[in-house]
Amino acid sequence: MHSLIRPNAWVALKLPSGSTKVLQITPNTTISLGKYGIFPANLIIGRPYHFTFELVDKLPDESFSRLRVVPTTELYAEVFADEAAPGCSTPAGGADDTVIAATDGVEFSLVDDNGNVIARSNREIIDDNARQTLTQDEIEELKREGNNAGKDVIAKLLLSHTALDQKTSFSLAKYKLLKSKKYMRRFQVLPIDVANFAQWQLEERDSSKIMDLRAEMLGLVGCWGNVHFGGDKLLLEDPKATTDNGEDACVPLQEDLLRGRWLVVDDTCGLLVAALAERMGVLYPEEEVAQEGKTEGQNESTTEKPSTGTVNTKGADVSRGPLDETAQDDVDTEMGDAPTSSATPKTDKKPKSTKPRASDFAIPYSQTNTITVLHGASQPNLSLLNYWGFDNTSPNHPPHPLLNHLLTLSWLQLLKPELDTSYSTPPLTASPEELAAWKPSRRGNFHRKRRRYARIRHIVDTTRAGNFAGLVCASTMDPISIVRHALPLLAGGAPVAIYSPTVEPLAALADCFSVPRRTAWTSGSVPEIADISFEDLEHWAGNERFPLNPTLLQGVSIQTSRARRWQVLPGRTHPLMTERGGADGFVFTAWRAKPAEGKVAAKGKFKRRKVESEAPAAAAEV
Amino acid sequence: MAPTTRNNVSPFLDHGARTKAHSLAILQLSRDNLQPVYLQPPTGGQDGYAEGAVVNTRYGSFPHSTMLNVPWGSQIRASKVDTGSRGRKRKRDSADNPTPGNEATGASEKEVEDSAPAANEDDTVALKQAVADTSGFIHVLPPTPEVWTQSLPHRTQVVYTPDYSYILHRIRARPGSHIIEAGAGSGSFTHASVRAVYNGYPAGGERRGKVFSFEFHEQRYHKMKQELADHGLDGIVQLSHRDVYHGGFLVDGKSPEAESVFLDLPAPWEALPLLSRRKPQSPNDPASENDQAEWVSPLNPRKSAYICTFSPCIEQVTKTVSAMRRLGWVDIDMVEIANRKLHTSRERVGLNLNFDRGVNNSPRDVEEALTRLAEIETRFREHTGKPRGEEEEDEDMDSAGEDAAAAKKSRVAAPNGVIVPAEQQASSGTAPWMEGRLITRGEPEIKTHTSYLVFAILPREWTAEDEAAAAARYPCGKEQGVIGAVDKAARKRERREQLAKQQSNRKARRKERDEKMGEAAV
């Protein structure tokens, strides 16, 4: 992914001012960078990422500015000059208050003369504006002429500054940097991957939308959740259910096929899901992957059936399984979901032409390498996934790997499925004759409802079957309540990683697993659990004294991380003076334990404490 | 079972539901005390243990047989294992043996010098069933890079989870990526990166995620090689024994085609020229055209390359960054990661709490202090108010002290005492683990510096031909509409055009309708 800028790709444009603009690069449009100028989008489509482009002056016979790739020797010209200067340990250039990446030193022909100005003491520093002889109108005029990508403006500004020779080298460099940020007509194109996107969303957009999830936290949560590629795509066999078959014809649950599945609670509008999907290799659309020569078993099939653009049927990896000969992806079926679709009626019994259409009860979801998102509202909020071309509300979705690997269900469907209408209402049935008599729109609705029923039933049943490989959370809900219901669904040894912008909820959660609590629980002297069977304790509903079964998690730990950024310049290396504050971000980690049955005592001298747990304070003697 | 072509997928990548023999498991002895163990199948006694291989810890002895084929995460009880008589030279009283089952071993050891006969005996006799001990337990965890990093045998400085999680995020290690790692060291980063890039074992010719690891130190290389084999990572980690400063990064003369690079080397700037797109030019040896043709870049030619170097000293960073700038790397960024672990506990402060460990027996708040002071004062006044003519000063003081002690005693003893909180506590029956205020506190010792991380990106090559091809494919001059920052004038113009369009539409429709009406009228 991300080797070249593709048409209609989302990209981030980094401007000299340090701000970032996120755009979808539509072909045959003009991209406007505000005061930095405009250029045709086609000049960056098909070009590589990470180059720094400069808007060059319009040629006399052309109506648009062309772009020039700025070589790095030019970008770092000032630094090189500093390094070459004798005794570069003394500050000879500019003092930046930004990162090295943003300095992007600009070489001015006249600066060589001024660069040799002997550093003066700060006493002589004077107010910048007072000594600028160019009036605002004149500057505007220069900008309109806009020659040489803004360098002329800056050079003129410097030249007409009367007190330039009185500046220290630090203040001179600062002045230059300030002016280049304002007038240099340069930009850099970055790909929208999770790291870049999260950075932009955090620092320039709405950080509260992603719960202040910083890069350090994304890394930690992903690693401690042990989120990784969970196996090649594996689809269940199409049950070939006819329209008069009811729920009995649904694909039965096959628990032994389920693996590499992660349980996710995401209140970051989908950023967490995107980060996990990236780690599992299901975020970026297939054609990009194919272009990169990666094989996930999806590429071969796309050529077989170019008309519908389905993602997979008989990929190389999948065909290993005994079931997969007839396994059908039903992206195309989903496409027929639109009620007015005329394609719907011909399905089901008679596979038409070479490509048989999947039946209503075919399950489009992979059994492996999936993300199961639990959401508190009736629909999940995964709006940020739009930046990667996935829209979970679209009924008619073009191929995307997340279609087969992202399962969503509400807490109601998980905990009380009988109350959920779409789960508990048995599917409609109709004989082929009845069906033929209906209007196309009614037929479409009929099929759509049956498909929805089969999908929801599959999602709910597989989720309730448990054995998840891990739990990853970034939620505004109380983590104790999440963990209470999620823990029984985790496989033994599965990691739990919960992010919170503040430490308090995580501390309360960790306290549920404190040593005194656990010792009391296992000592066998807690009246409320005395009559409960060992199996039922896994589903312990919680009370005030024991909000959770304290033996179900091991290695409970809370941590926080912060990256401190430095500027590295010859003779001027130091940490940045200011950085983003706000929520620090904390991660709770633990592993799902399978406690031994019965009373378990630790080795060591803990006897006294155990006594206390039963007979509180009063027994103390002086 | 799921259809996997390999049945020996690394336990780091897919550990299955239960523990298996010959596979790595991590034993969690206490919160931060982890111990890696390769579980042995139950084949007769080993090292003189009747139960087969045994792990001895301060929390008890754990025969491997008790840890095999159990669900991961299981709590394992300690077993009664005779650890004392093993390998001892005679001098053992059979009466000391805690279990009757051990008598045979003990007896045999009495007669023979060492434990070898015991092992012989076990070869013929069935494996002894482990007997659960009364106390002691551990948990058996599946291996992940995180627990492995905490428990691995140190050979060099370890790249810990806070660092590698951030690094892998920044260098875009994703399923299918190829990573160059130079300085395999203890292998913690290797394990983390292989998990990040794994998307199946290579079968056939297709490209899969892979780690290309280089280690200079021969002993470390051999240990690492063994470790990778034991962990089933053979096909997806390619370990080479090489000095990369001189040997470069090619594997068998071929390019690893890496898009991510991690350098944990003392002098990364010496290795950087070898990570270029074109043959680096050294000053004393101007590159000839022939050389240029033969030279192969270890980087993926179609993608930007992401690098991270890991250096503890600022001087190394300065040199590295300088080299990067000269070699055309962009977006150079240096950070250091500060990670803190937090411990939660209950802070218990109060006069009426029991004298437990960790309890601060001072007043909890001003009210409590006040009550206590007033009480002491009252008693003191009572005391001095008594007619005691002949008592001396020092005696007086003594008895005052006694009184205070008595007061304290009475306060604790009497449930209906003056102190309200105690009463409340007693009546509500607060469990001891819920007393006090929940606090978080940093761990006693924090790592304030691990290393400086320098990140940079090297864009792919872009030749004039490439540019010409792209320009031909996406020609300019047919621009319609503006995207991005639209200034006020442009916005106004757009709006005007839109309105005009709507109006003309409306007009057209009205006209159409009028015409229809006209027709109808006619």
Side-chain angles (χ1 to χ4, degrees), chain B residues 39-52:
Chain B
L39 295 176
Q40 304 295 324
T43 53
Q46 286 191 8
D47 297 340
Y49 289 117
E51 292 87 355

PDB file of all heavy atoms in Angstrom, chain B residues 39-52:
ATOM      1  N   LEU B  39       7.877 -27.161  27.509  1.00  0.00           N
ATOM      2  CA  LEU B  39       7.206 -28.265  28.192  1.00  0.00           C
ATOM      3  C   LEU B  39       7.678 -29.606  27.616  1.00  0.00           C
ATOM      4  O   LEU B  39       7.711 -29.796  26.403  1.00  0.00           O
ATOM      5  CB  LEU B  39       5.693 -28.127  28.040  1.00  0.00           C
ATOM      6  CG  LEU B  39       5.088 -26.896  28.721  1.00  0.00           C
ATOM      7  CD1 LEU B  39       3.614 -26.802  28.422  1.00  0.00           C
ATOM      8  CD2 LEU B  39       5.326 -26.951  30.220  1.00  0.00           C
ATOM      9  N   GLN B  40       8.050 -30.509  28.493  1.00  0.00           N
ATOM     10  CA  GLN B  40       8.539 -31.820  28.083  1.00  0.00           C
ATOM     11  C   GLN B  40       7.388 -32.813  28.125  1.00  0.00           C
ATOM     12  O   GLN B  40       6.567 -32.774  29.037  1.00  0.00           O
ATOM     13  CB  GLN B  40       9.640 -32.300  29.031  1.00  0.00           C
ATOM     14  CG  GLN B  40      10.801 -31.349  29.150  1.00  0.00           C
ATOM     15  CD  GLN B  40      11.548 -31.217  27.843  1.00  0.00           C
ATOM     16  OE1 GLN B  40      11.682 -32.198  27.107  1.00  0.00           O
ATOM     17  NE2 GLN B  40      11.984 -30.014  27.521  1.00  0.00           N
ATOM     18  N   PRO B  41       7.351 -33.701  27.143  1.00  0.00           N
ATOM     19  CA  PRO B  41       6.327 -34.745  27.211  1.00  0.00           C
ATOM     20  C   PRO B  41       6.658 -35.693  28.353  1.00  0.00           C
ATOM     21  O   PRO B  41       7.815 -35.804  28.758  1.00  0.00           O
ATOM     22  CB  PRO B  41       6.445 -35.439  25.859  1.00  0.00           C
ATOM     23  CG  PRO B  41       7.828 -35.167  25.412  1.00  0.00           C
ATOM     24  CD  PRO B  41       8.218 -33.834  25.985  1.00  0.00           C
ATOM     25  N   PRO B  42       5.655 -36.345  28.879  1.00  0.00           N
ATOM     26  CA  PRO B  42       5.915 -37.240  30.016  1.00  0.00           C
ATOM     27  C   PRO B  42       6.635 -38.517  29.580  1.00  0.00           C
ATOM     28  O   PRO B  42       6.013 -39.482  29.184  1.00  0.00           O
ATOM     29  CB  PRO B  42       4.513 -37.538  30.556  1.00  0.00           C
ATOM     30  CG  PRO B  42       3.590 -37.260  29.416  1.00  0.00           C
ATOM     31  CD  PRO B  42       4.252 -36.308  28.493  1.00  0.00           C
ATOM     32  N   THR B  43       7.938 -38.484  29.598  1.00  0.00           N
ATOM     33  CA  THR B  43       8.714 -39.676  29.245  1.00  0.00           C
ATOM     34  C   THR B  43       9.633 -39.997  30.398  1.00  0.00           C
ATOM     35  O   THR B  43      10.755 -39.536  30.454  1.00  0.00           O
ATOM     36  CB  THR B  43       9.591 -39.407  28.008  1.00  0.00           C
ATOM     37  OG1 THR B  43      10.343 -38.230  28.286  1.00  0.00           O
ATOM     38  CG2 THR B  43       8.781 -39.229  26.762  1.00  0.00           C
ATOM     39  N   GLY B  44       9.154 -40.778  31.318  1.00  0.00           N
ATOM     40  CA  GLY B  44       9.992 -41.257  32.395  1.00  0.00           C
ATOM     41  C   GLY B  44      10.561 -40.134  33.236  1.00  0.00           C
ATOM     42  O   GLY B  44      10.348 -38.965  32.964  1.00  0.00           O
ATOM     43  N   GLY B  45      11.311 -40.479  34.247  1.00  0.00           N
ATOM     44  CA  GLY B  45      11.859 -39.482  35.154  1.00  0.00           C
ATOM     45  C   GLY B  45      12.995 -38.731  34.510  1.00  0.00           C
ATOM     46  O   GLY B  45      13.674 -39.217  33.621  1.00  0.00           O
ATOM     47  N   GLN B  46      13.170 -37.516  34.945  1.00  0.00           N
ATOM     48  CA  GLN B  46      14.285 -36.721  34.459  1.00  0.00           C
ATOM     49  C   GLN B  46      14.962 -36.055  35.624  1.00  0.00           C
ATOM     50  O   GLN B  46      14.306 -35.611  36.563  1.00  0.00           O
ATOM     51  CB  GLN B  46      13.790 -35.662  33.484  1.00  0.00           C
ATOM     52  CG  GLN B  46      13.419 -36.270  32.159  1.00  0.00           C
ATOM     53  CD  GLN B  46      13.184 -35.208  31.125  1.00  0.00           C
ATOM     54  OE1 GLN B  46      13.440 -34.044  31.349  1.00  0.00           O
ATOM     55  NE2 GLN B  46      12.708 -35.630  29.976  1.00  0.00           N
ATOM     56  N   ASP B  47      16.250 -35.967  35.552  1.00  0.00           N
ATOM     57  CA  ASP B  47      17.046 -35.374  36.621  1.00  0.00           C
ATOM     58  C   ASP B  47      16.714 -36.015  37.954  1.00  0.00           C
ATOM     59  O   ASP B  47      16.792 -35.367  38.985  1.00  0.00           O
ATOM     60  CB  ASP B  47      16.800 -33.862  36.717  1.00  0.00           C
ATOM     61  CG  ASP B  47      17.241 -33.163  35.445  1.00  0.00           C
ATOM     62  OD1 ASP B  47      18.045 -33.780  34.723  1.00  0.00           O
ATOM     63  OD2 ASP B  47      16.775 -32.055  35.187  1.00  0.00           O
ATOM     64  N   GLY B  48      16.298 -37.247  37.933  1.00  0.00           N
ATOM     65  CA  GLY B  48      16.023 -37.922  39.186  1.00  0.00           C
ATOM     66  C   GLY B  48      14.648 -37.650  39.741  1.00  0.00           C
ATOM     67  O   GLY B  48      14.304 -38.085  40.829  1.00  0.00           O
ATOM     68  N   TYR B  49      13.812 -36.907  39.011  1.00  0.00           N
ATOM     69  CA  TYR B  49      12.456 -36.684  39.493  1.00  0.00           C
ATOM     70  C   TYR B  49      11.554 -37.808  39.032  1.00  0.00           C
ATOM     71  O   TYR B  49      11.573 -38.186  37.859  1.00  0.00           O
ATOM     72  CB  TYR B  49      11.893 -35.368  38.953  1.00  0.00           C
ATOM     73  CG  TYR B  49      12.529 -34.156  39.549  1.00  0.00           C
ATOM     74  CD1 TYR B  49      13.241 -33.270  38.755  1.00  0.00           C
ATOM     75  CD2 TYR B  49      12.411 -33.897  40.901  1.00  0.00           C
ATOM     76  CE1 TYR B  49      13.819 -32.154  39.293  1.00  0.00           C
ATOM     77  CE2 TYR B  49      12.988 -32.776  41.452  1.00  0.00           C
ATOM     78  CZ  TYR B  49      13.692 -31.913  40.641  1.00  0.00           C
ATOM     79  OH  TYR B  49      14.257 -30.797  41.186  1.00  0.00           O
ATOM     80  N   ALA B  50      10.775 -38.305  39.929  1.00  0.00           N
ATOM     81  CA  ALA B  50       9.880 -39.402  39.588  1.00  0.00           C
ATOM     82  C   ALA B  50       8.758 -38.925  38.677  1.00  0.00           C
ATOM     83  O   ALA B  50       8.169 -39.701  37.939  1.00  0.00           O
ATOM     84  CB  ALA B  50       9.305 -40.008  40.860  1.00  0.00           C
ATOM     85  N   GLU B  51       8.465 -37.634  38.677  1.00  0.00           N
ATOM     86  CA  GLU B  51       7.329 -37.127  37.915  1.00  0.00           C
ATOM     87  C   GLU B  51       7.722 -36.668  36.519  1.00  0.00           C
ATOM     88  O   GLU B  51       6.912 -36.080  35.809  1.00  0.00           O
ATOM     89  CB  GLU B  51       6.686 -35.939  38.650  1.00  0.00           C
ATOM     90  CG  GLU B  51       6.001 -36.304  39.952  1.00  0.00           C
ATOM     91  CD  GLU B  51       6.968 -36.278  41.115  1.00  0.00           C
ATOM     92  OE1 GLU B  51       8.182 -36.071  40.877  1.00  0.00           O
ATOM     93  OE2 GLU B  51       6.529 -36.487  42.265  1.00  0.00           O
ATOM     94  N   GLY B  52       8.962 -36.909  36.113  1.00  0.00           N
ATOM     95  CA  GLY B  52       9.417 -36.343  34.856  1.00  0.00           C
ATOM     96  C   GLY B  52      10.004 -34.976  35.116  1.00  0.00           C
ATOM     97  O   GLY B  52      10.338 -34.639  36.253  1.00  0.00           O
TER      98      GLY B  52
END
